[in-house]
Amino acid sequence: RAKREELERILEENNRKIAEAQAKLAEEQLRIVEEQRKIHEERMKLEQERQRQQKEEQKIILGKGKSRPKLSFSLKTQD
């Protein structure tokens, strides 16, 4: 009887340790997922900023939206 109680106590202790380990693992996985989400958000922000800059550069190159002064010239005829 004493041996059986000892084994049950050991079994309960092992189950408790397993539950603690699983809880720690779940917490670690949650932390990793949160870090990945933050990294993804930062990457998306950088990509949006890059696209915005690229559009601005294209506007300047194409001269749209008053991004550079309008050139005016005329041809003069000599008399």
Side-chain angles (χ1 to χ4, degrees), residues 2-28:
K3 182 123 177 143
R4 180 179 174 157
E5 287 177 358
E6 177 68 18
L7 288 175
E8 286 178 359
R9 187 186 63 74
I10 291 171
L11 184 61
E12 287 176 13
E13 180 69 19
N14 286 343
N15 286 340
R16 185 185 61 79
K17 287 180 181 178
I18 289 172
E20 286 178 6
Q22 287 175 338
K24 284 182 181 179
L25 181 62
E27 196 174 299
E28 182 69 16

Side-chain angles (χ1 to χ4, degrees), residues 18-74:
I18 289 172
E20 286 178 6
Q22 287 175 338
K24 284 182 181 179
L25 181 62
E27 196 174 299
E28 182 69 16
Q29 287 176 336
L30 183 63
R31 186 185 63 76
I32 289 171
V33 167
E34 184 67 20
E35 284 181 16
Q36 288 175 340
R37 182 188 63 80
K38 286 180 182 178
I39 290 170
H40 179 70
E41 285 179 358
E42 185 66 25
R43 190 175 292 146
M44 293 302 292
K45 283 181 185 178
L46 290 172
E47 178 63 21
Q48 287 175 349
E49 178 64 20
R50 185 190 66 78
Q51 288 178 357
R52 187 189 64 75
Q53 287 178 347
Q54 190 174 24
K55 284 181 183 180
E56 286 297 316
E57 289 172 359
Q58 286 176 350
K59 276 185 180 180
I60 291 171
I61 291 169
L62 297 174
K64 292 187 176 179
K66 299 181 183 176
S67 59
R68 64 179 179 189
K70 195 164 196 116
L71 298 177
S72 64
F73 58 91
S74 62

